[in-house]
Every structure is written in structure tokens, then in C-alpha cells.
Amino acid sequence: MQIKNGEAFDTSDIEVLSYPDFYGRVVELLAPETHHCLSYFAAPHAGSLRLYAFIAIDENAFIEALAADVATSDTLQAITAERPEMHVFERDIHEVFGIEFAGHPWLKPLRFPHNRLAGGSVYDYPFFNIESEEFHRVGVGPIHAGIIEPGHFRFICEGEKIHHLEIQLGWQHRGWENLMLSKKKMLQRAILAENIAGDTTVANATAFALAYEALAAADPNPTLTFERTLALEQERIAVHTGDLSAICTDIAYQLGNAVFGRLRTPMINFFQKWCGSRFAKSLIRPGYTNFHFTDALADDWQKTADAFEPHFREMADKMFDLPSVLSRIERTGVVSTETAVRIGLVGMAAKASGLARDVRATHPYLDYASLDLKPVVKNSGDVYARARVRYEEVLQSLANIRSLIAQKHEITETPKGDYLKLRPGKTVVSLVEGWRGVLCHVAQTSQEGQISTYKVVDPSVHNWMGLAMAVRGNGISDFPICNKSFDLSYCGHDL
Amino acid sequence: MLDSLKILFHQGKQYIPDVTTTDVPGIFRGRPVISDAQVDETALVDLCPTGAISANPLSIDLGRCAFCAECMFACPQKISFTKDYHISANDRGALVVRAGDNRPIVVDPDKVRAEVKRLFGRSLKLREVSAGGDGSCEMELNATGNVNFDIGRFGISFVASPRHADGIVLTGPISENMADPFLDAYNAVPDPKILILAGTDAISGGIFDGSPALNRSVLDGLNVDLYVPGNPVHPLTFINGVLDMLQRKNR
Ligand code: SF4
């Protein structure tokens, strides 16, 4: 069944296939490069399990929705064997429900969730190993040297050269999806959504709000639509600028580190002026907002951006012209287009590897159709490309906000508080392009109109494998810049 | 080289000269003030997403507050938030702001251990551990060291190894999967050591409190030297809290 981003439909309209038919359809659908899996999960259904897959058909701006009924005792043929991008989803279903996937290369634990059927603790992870006198292993984490979230990296190296990197996640698992079902107040759910990942507050809160409003058949409010679009672009500017600073840190380029770092400050402080939080927590709510984008804020933004842009350009021009910077970031951490397709990369990392995956352009929502956005695409797939995409996207986002403000209209007020009523028996797929890539929120309601399923796929779920591929053959001392160039989320993955 | 100097010159002065008194831009929500107005208190208790509000007298526990602002919008005659970012305390009870209170939240000097002031007063090295943190508190702790806030000027910095640290700063609601790594890091810090809980999630679990995927019992029996509320913590709340804990009079 073909559905649209952000449009709720009757769950019963999804055709339920036999598993072999489901398998065949998914394998076939995922063949073209413009198709990729957004979400694939299992949900309890009538004492058994129902599988749901949602596959983006980018060239036609729709999503293919498929389902199949299976039993937990089943052994199913692994789709991963044909389409490697599915490996995380099958690992997830196996870990939580115990379903076996025959032909999956290795059904490793994904995030050690509290409700897993598979036993074992986070300390029992089955790492890949090569027994050899020539190789040694390097373990890093879960706690890292800097102030960042935890995860474990296990390298297999020959001297300085990385042959293999395995990334073990799950340390950050907070039981988010279960909390989303057990907390019944809309406000609690909105706050859960904005606390999925602190660097993606606006995008997650917006994906949630759009899903919630669609389930309640709320009429879109033009003011909220405008404000959310603007906030998403602002979040991108702030994080990309901070990431350019961090990339400079990891190549010991002190000037870039300091200048991009200080340029990020007015951008996150702008959110504090708008809503009281530098990370835009409290800004986005389903059906309303407490913080409209006033004319005074529009003036303030213009001034902030006018002061920011020349300094940002000057610093970036210097950085991308400096041989000592280029020699560290060019041809470092390469992911080829072919690999990107096979592993299902999305967002910024995909764009740096030649794939124009950006749902702002391919599955437009909010005001994106009117912005007519062309994704920034680079082909070299290296740290340089990922840094360069950020640079150009910051300029693009500045231009987007300028054009949004130019079309600004009168504020249309909304009622406040928890006034939306969810309709029973519906499903919605809500896609929002965060600065890192596509966020996919799938929500379903029960016959009583309660949220019965809420699944979140952070772009990091697809892209962690990209980092593992990027570092192969690189020196281990280049791992930090490779890692930073992806800047993936631990908590967004672990939930 | 000349271009680099030019770029440097273009930045002007970025550091905040006095981090204890500087104004924060915009409508930052720091310490709340609760008036004596008569309102439907149960409605506010029911509204609060994290159980931070109690009735009779109406109070807000900053250790639970998500700073979502909804109570303020629902009942502006009762609740307002000031921009006062001095909201860290060493006594958990001091984070509860009651109706009629309008006084600063302070670090109680009598409760600061003598060795903390004596040993760490002029140099403090901290190891950060995120245990289910969403990354925002972590970014704000990183920001304490940037050119604007520059916590390094006080001899305070974050280090890579717990063995080089005088204490742990914990963020996040404490996921079960990070409970043991946190304890390992804590135990690796030489005695005497300090423990700082940074952010609402770390202090109470925040919106995640009660999740079966957490293990907050690892905090049982550990001495907490400083609670820094916020969702996330503001760099100035953290810097001032630590300076107060160290009893730095001259700052
Ligand atoms: S601002 Fe704090 S006290 Fe008020 S409703 Fe939100 S979480 Fe509760």
C-alpha cells in the first residue's frame, strides 16, 4: 500500500502478506538506489506478531507499507542476506521477540533493551575476532575520553592500520519506546520526544507533533508550520557549525575550533531568546506553541545572521584552503556510493557519498515544498565531503530562513494544551529530516484511541555501519575525525 | 598566517568577563518564583509532566523540573521563572522552591567537606560520565570550556581519565547498562573525591524516572557534593555551582 509522509491511514488497510511474499516484496522494493528502508519492526498482534515495513520510494514521494503475520517460534529467511541495510532491523526483532532469521550473517544484540527476550548482559557481546599473531585489538569505551555519550568501539588493527571496527551500542538505553506507551499525557510524550537526543530536539519534537496531529486529524496551522520549518533550519545551522568546530579540534586546528565554536554560540542562544532553551526544548508541542516567532525575533534573527555569515564564510574559506587541514580530511574515512547504497546510509553522510537522500526534498512536509530545496551532494565520501556538506548546508539553511521570513504572515493562534483527540485504528509515518538525516516516527493507535505502537528510527541506526566501513584501511589515529565527521547519536540509537 | 591573524582579530573579545554576574540573553528559565495567589493547585500538580510540583504550599522541585514552562503559561499569576542561573545546591532539599520564597538558592558552606575546599580550591579536575544522557547536558559541559565561558581560567577542567580526576560529573538518568561503568569510573578516582549530579535526569531521572531500563540504586550510599539542575544544565549554572562548592570567594 502506498502512503504519504505524515498522512494517517487505517491500519487495517495495510495488506497482510505471508512471510515469503513479504520477503519477496521487500527484496524487490529495495533494489533501486532511490528506495530505502525507513522502519521495519514487529508489534504484538492477537497473541502473535505482526511485522511492519515502511520503504521510502524517493522518486515518487511515497512510502510503501507492508505487513506480515508471524509467530515468535518461526524461523524466517533473512532479508539481510539480500539487502544488508536490513541487518539492524532483523537484529532488533530477534533481540526483543526471539524470532530467528536464517541466513542473517550474525544476529548480534543491537541495544540490550530491558524487555529483551535474548538474555545476556551488555558485557557479553560477541565480538568478531581474528586469531592471528599479526593483529591486535583495541577496545575504546563505553566511556570515552571527551564529554560525550558512551559506546564501545573494538578495533582489529595491524600496526596502526584498522582492518575492522565493530561498534557495540546499547549503553544509553533508557526504555524510551515503552515510556512512550506508558505515559498517557500528551505533554509527557512531547517532553519524551524532545529528550530522545539533545542535538536533535526540534526534529524529534516536530516528527512527534506531526504524527500526533495526523492521528488526531488536526488541521495544519500555517503559523506552526512556518515556525517549525524555521526552527529545523536553525537547528541545522547550530549543530553543523558546532560540528565544524569539533572536526577542527580533532585535527588540532585551533583557530577553526575556536572560531566555529564561538560562532555556534549566537545560534544556540537564538533559541534561548525564542523559547528559553539553547536546545529549543519546550518550543514544539502538538497543536500549539507557547513561543511564537514574533516580529521582534525576526529582526533579532536577521541581525544575528548578518553578523554570523561573513565570519562563518571567512573561517570556512580559510579552513577549506589550508593544506594542513586538507591533507587530514581528504581521502580519509571514505564510504563509496556503492557501499552507501548497500548499507542504507541516509542524510548528511549519504549526501557526502553521492546519494541525494534528504526527505525535505524527496518527501516534503511543513513549508519545504515551497522552499524547493536541492540537496547538497558531494561524491568523494570522505571526511572532506562530510565537512563540506555541512558548510554548504549552513549557507543553504541561512538562505531558507531568510526566504521563510520574507513570506512571514500574521500569527494564527491555536487553542492551548491537550485538546487533540487521537482517532482509533490509525497508523502514521512521520518523516523529518534532522541535520543528521531522516528521523522516522511510526505511531499506531488502538481501537480505544490510545497509542499502541510508537517506533523511532534515528538516522544513526542506519549510519553507524557507515562509520565502521569508513575507517577500514585508515590509521587508527584518524578514527576521531572519521567519528566526528559522522557525529552519530548514541541515545537516539539506543532509545 | 596573516589571514589567520585577521580572522582572529575579526572575532573581537568573546569571553564573558564576570561569569558570576553576567546577564543571560533572552528568556532563560532559571530559578522560579511562586506567588501567594490562590489558584487550583491540584490542576498544576496534574499538569506537571515530571511530578516536580507539589501542593500545599505549592512548590517546585528543581531536581525534577524539565523547565518546560507549561506551569508558568497555565498559571502566570502563580508561577514565573527568573533568569537567575544560580540554582545549584549541595543539599537536595534546597532545590525545592516554595510559594512565597524569593531568595537565592545557595551552596551551604557548612555542608561543604573541609577537604574539598582545602584540596580542590585552586585546581579541580573532573571526569564526566554520561549514563543515558541525551547529549544536551554533555554539550553544555563542553561549552563550559569554550572561549565564551572559559572555566579553565579558574583552574577547573575536564580530563580523560578518572585516575587523573578529583571527581565525577554524572549526566543522564542512569541507564542500567551504564550503571556498572559509572561505578567503575567512580571507584577509579582516588580519594577524597567529589560527585556532581548535572541535570534533572541525573538528579531524579527526570521524565525517565520509573523506567525499568534505569538503575538509580547505584547512587545509594554515595556522597553527592553538588546538584546542578537544568534540562540541560546551563554552563553558567554549572560554573557558579562549582565555584560556590569550592568556596571561591575571589572567584
Ligand atoms: S516547568 Fe517544571 S514545574 Fe513547571 S510544569 Fe514544567 S516540569 Fe513541571
Side-chain angles (χ1 to χ4, degrees), chain B residues 97-154:
Chain B
V97 175
R98 294 184 181 76
D101 290 352
N102 190 355
R103 47 169 195 253
I105 293 172
V106 291
V107 173
D108 182 350
D110 297 337
K111 291 197 170 123
V112 176
R113 288 179 290 147
E115 65 264 33
V116 169
K117 189 181 168 199
R118 182 166 48 84
L119 290 172
F120 308 133
R122 290 198 294 176
S123 161
L124 177 67
K125 303 293 163 201
L126 296 165
R127 169 66 256 195
E128 201 276 338
V129 177
S130 169
D134 76 355
S136 57
C137 275
E138 293 76 1
M139 281 187 274
E140 290 297 52
L141 292 174
N142 267 318
T144 63
N146 73 13
V147 292
N148 307 108
F149 299 108
D150 188 22
I151 198 175
R153 71 180 106 171
F154 303 109

Side-chain angles (χ1 to χ4, degrees), chain A residues 261-318:
Chain A
R262 83 94 185 153
L263 285 169
R264 166 184 174 261
T265 302
M267 287 305 177
I268 63 170
N269 278 350
F270 184 78
F271 276 131
Q272 186 168 290
K273 293 176 188 167
W274 185 353
C275 71
S277 161
R278 305 214 302 165
F279 295 84
K281 290 186 182 183
S282 71
L283 180 60
I284 312 283
R285 299 279 182 259
Y288 71 100
T289 181
N290 288 318
F291 304 98
H292 281 301
F293 191 78
T294 58
D295 290 341
L297 281 168
D299 288 344
D300 190 295
W301 187 86
Q302 303 269 15
K303 286 198 194 82
T304 307
D306 289 347
F308 170 93
E309 192 167 339
H311 289 149
F312 178 78
R313 282 179 187 272
E314 180 185 48
M315 186 63 248
D317 288 346
K318 180 77 193 165

Side-chain angles (χ1 to χ4, degrees), chain A residues 187 191, chain B residues 29 44 47-53 60-61 64-72 79 81:
Chain A
L187 181 58
I191 288 177
Chain B
R29 283 182 292 283
L44 284 170
L47 170 78
C48 179
T50 53
I53 300 183
I60 295 180
D61 178 358
R64 302 195 73 85
C65 176
F67 295 86
C68 72
E70 296 288 343
C71 55
M72 174 177 88
I79 298 173
F81 280 82

Side-chain angles (χ1 to χ4, degrees), chain A residues 5 36 38 56 58 236 346-347 351 356-365 368 373 375 430-434 437-439:
Chain A
N5 178 16
H36 53 108
L38 298 162
D58 283 349
R236 179 179 305 267
V346 295
K351 286 178 270 188
R357 286 188 180 165
D358 187 325
V359 296
R360 293 177 296 171
T362 53
H363 301 264
Y365 49 97
Y368 282 112
L373 186 130
S430 175
L431 305 180
V432 167
E433 187 79 12
V438 58
L439 293 162

Side-chain angles (χ1 to χ4, degrees), chain A residues 151-168:
Chain A
H152 183 91
F153 301 112
R154 186 70 62 95
F155 301 89
I156 298 176
C157 298
E158 181 188 12
E160 293 289 297
K161 193 165 136 195
I162 302 170
H163 270 277
H164 182 79
L165 164 62
E166 184 156 7
I167 301 164
Q168 182 205 355

Side-chain angles (χ1 to χ4, degrees), chain A residues 111-344:
Chain A
R111 52 170 79 96
F112 296 92
H114 66 98
N115 56 343
R116 62 189 182 272
L117 260 191
S121 95
V122 73
Y123 288 105
D124 305 326
Y125 187 85
F127 286 101
F128 173 70
N129 192 20
I130 303 173
E131 288 301 339
S132 162
E133 295 271 301
E134 314 290 324
F135 295 117
H136 67 279
R137 283 181 285 167
V138 182
V140 180
I143 303 175
H144 298 270
I147 310 177
I148 56 166
E149 297 173 48
H152 183 91
F153 301 112
R154 186 70 62 95
F155 301 89
I156 298 176
C157 298
E158 181 188 12
E160 293 289 297
K161 193 165 136 195
I162 302 170
H163 270 277
H164 182 79
L165 164 62
E166 184 156 7
I167 301 164
Q168 182 205 355
L169 299 169
W171 308 90
Q172 291 282 71
H173 173 71
R174 299 160 292 180
W176 190 95
E177 288 180 339
N178 272 23
L179 285 173
M180 198 62 172
L181 304 186
S182 65
K183 303 254 185 221
K184 300 292 183 217
K185 292 183 205 159
M186 189 272 280
L187 181 58
Q188 291 178 316
R189 289 167 167 166
I191 288 177
L192 275 171
E194 62 185 24
N195 284 283
I196 292 174
D199 57 18
T200 311
T201 307
V202 177
N204 271 311
T206 301
F208 166 72
L210 293 174
Y212 204 90
E213 289 163 6
L215 290 173
D219 289 330
N221 172 298
T223 302
L224 295 181
T225 299
F226 157 80
E227 289 169 344
R228 291 167 183 177
T229 316
L230 198 154
L232 284 165
E233 295 302 296
Q234 180 70 9
E235 184 167 74
R236 179 179 305 267
I237 294 169
V239 180
H240 277 357
T241 306
D243 273 352
L244 288 170
S245 168
I247 289 170
C248 290
T249 312
D250 283 344
I251 53 173
Y253 181 41
Q254 165 64 20
L255 184 67
N257 158 251
V259 172
F260 286 125
R262 83 94 185 153
L263 285 169
R264 166 184 174 261
T265 302
M267 287 305 177
I268 63 170
N269 278 350
F270 184 78
F271 276 131
Q272 186 168 290
K273 293 176 188 167
W274 185 353
C275 71
S277 161
R278 305 214 302 165
F279 295 84
K281 290 186 182 183
S282 71
L283 180 60
I284 312 283
R285 299 279 182 259
Y288 71 100
T289 181
N290 288 318
F291 304 98
H292 281 301
F293 191 78
T294 58
D295 290 341
L297 281 168
D299 288 344
D300 190 295
W301 187 86
Q302 303 269 15
K303 286 198 194 82
T304 307
D306 289 347
F308 170 93
E309 192 167 339
H311 289 149
F312 178 78
R313 282 179 187 272
E314 180 185 48
M315 186 63 248
D317 288 346
K318 180 77 193 165
M319 171 185 174
F320 288 112
D321 190 42
L322 207 62
S324 58
V325 169
L326 295 177
S327 72
R328 289 297 309 279
I329 64 177
E330 282 181 336
R331 290 176 295 281
T332 304
V334 176
V335 179
S336 68
T337 309
E338 190 198 345
T339 302
V341 172
R342 274 174 64 78
I343 63 179

